Amino acid sequence: YILYLALKAQNIPKADIERYVRKWYVMSVLTGRYSGPFESYFDYDMRQLNSQGIISYSESIFNGELSDAFWNVSLPLGMDTSVYSSPFCVFLAAQIKLGDLGFLSSDIKVRELVEVKADIHHVFPKDYLKKNKLSRGQYNQIANYVVAQSEINIAIGNKEPRVYFAELFEQCNGGRKKYGNICDIVKLKKNLKMNCIQEWIENMTIDNYSDFLAKRRSLMAQKIKEYFEAL
């Protein structure tokens, strides 16, 4: 809001104010720019903004803070967490902005699911991971989260991925519907891509969990980058 007021006082066009505020907010959430001594950091930013102008200063900050190294290394590493309010909230914003469908949904979008407080589903089910002796911090990784319809979440239960995905592929080959209404292999693969899930999920067991998390963090980071660049 302070940034908005500062740009308004500088007579920046309204459309540009909206764009700069959006991008600055997302940047600050992703980098934790104001998670420490807020007053000193923000005071510094406001002084630089007033002296350099929003175009010059924002470009220097975005290019410095959100370099290729950030998107390819720092952000994926920062997503090694179980804190829901971390970059996962930005990932959901990215899915909403890009019009993505919910996990294994044929028609219902993430936006609609978030609005009705749909389930946060574990791709590797929580109970399955607990039975394999994983800790809370391990099974509640944000890279293991997707937004799903309640009925899909319930149907999956505690099955390991290779079991319920085998049934999904059977469903896409004329078998009985068990998980949502996707009955086409092309649509299934497209849905997995929207949700940043590797296609070889169909063969995964507990032994693949760490590799799954690492790869999905990278895919999620790239979706967030696409979202940020479109703001």
Side-chain angles (χ1 to χ4, degrees):
Y1 184 59
I2 295 173
L3 178 61
Y4 163 77
L5 293 176
L7 296 180
K8 185 178 181 182
Q10 294 178 15
N11 295 315
I12 303 295
K14 290 183 179 179
D16 289 339
I17 290 177
E18 292 178 6
R19 181 165 56 88
Y20 286 122
V21 169
R22 284 197 301 266
K23 297 193 79 165
W24 198 275
Y25 176 74
V26 172
M27 178 276 296
S28 64
V29 171
L30 290 175
T31 62
R33 188 172 184 82
Y34 303 119
S35 59
F38 172 84
E39 294 84 357
S40 60
Y41 270 113
F42 207 82
D43 181 63
Y44 174 81
D45 283 335
M46 290 301 100
R47 284 189 282 108
Q48 295 301 315
L49 186 148
N50 287 325
S51 64
Q52 298 184 34
I54 183 62
I55 296 176
S56 176
Y57 188 56
S58 65
E59 285 183 355
S60 67
I61 291 298
F62 296 156
N63 291 335
E65 296 288 337
L66 305 179
S67 64
D68 287 343
F70 173 80
W71 297 115
N72 297 330
V73 181
S74 299
L75 182 55
L77 288 175
M79 297 174 82
D80 185 358
T81 179
S82 60
V83 180
Y84 178 84
S85 59
S86 61
F88 187 68
C89 65
V90 184
F91 174 71
L92 291 184
Q95 287 202 291
I96 291 171
K97 172 73 172 179
L98 298 170
D100 290 344
L101 295 168
F103 179 62
L104 303 184
S105 293
S106 60
D107 302 294
I108 301 177
K109 294 184 176 181
V110 171
R111 175 186 293 276
E112 297 165 320
L113 292 172
V114 169
E115 287 174 346
V116 299
K117 298 182 179 180
D119 291 353
I120 296 297
H121 170 69
H122 293 67
V123 181
F124 276 72
K126 179 170 66 175
D127 189 51
Y128 166 72
L129 295 176
K130 288 172 70 174
K131 288 179 178 177
N132 280 277
K133 312 300 182 185
L134 270 67
S135 68
R136 180 185 181 89
Q138 291 173 308
Y139 61 70
N140 276 342
Q141 286 284 307
I142 64 172
N144 194 30
Y145 293 163
V146 286
V147 178
Q149 296 169 237
S150 296
E151 59 270 27
I152 292 175
N153 191 4
I154 292 170
I156 290 173
N158 64 357
K159 302 183 185 78
E160 67 179 352
R162 70 172 179 178
V163 171
Y164 72 85
F165 269 94
E167 294 174 331
L168 266 167
F169 277 92
E170 183 179 334
Q171 175 175 313
C172 290
N173 286 310
R176 184 169 67 88
K177 290 183 182 179
K178 292 185 178 181
Y179 310 102
N181 290 309
I182 296 179
C183 298
D184 180 271
I185 194 66
V186 174
K187 289 183 178 180
L188 175 59
K189 290 182 177 181
K190 185 176 180 180
N191 185 276
L192 295 181
K193 185 176 181 180
M194 285 180 183
N195 287 281
C196 298
I197 296 173
Q198 312 93 294
E199 288 186 15
W200 54 284
I201 185 78
E202 63 189 275
N203 299 314
M204 290 186 184
T205 67
I206 188 63
D207 295 332
N208 307 111
Y209 184 57
S210 293
D211 291 337
F212 164 78
L213 292 178
K215 178 61 176 177
R216 189 161 189 254
R217 290 183 193 115
S218 294
L219 294 173
M220 292 169 74
Q222 292 306 308
K223 181 174 283 283
I224 293 172
K225 179 184 179 182
E226 180 183 357
Y227 163 65
F228 178 80
E229 292 177 343
L231 290 176

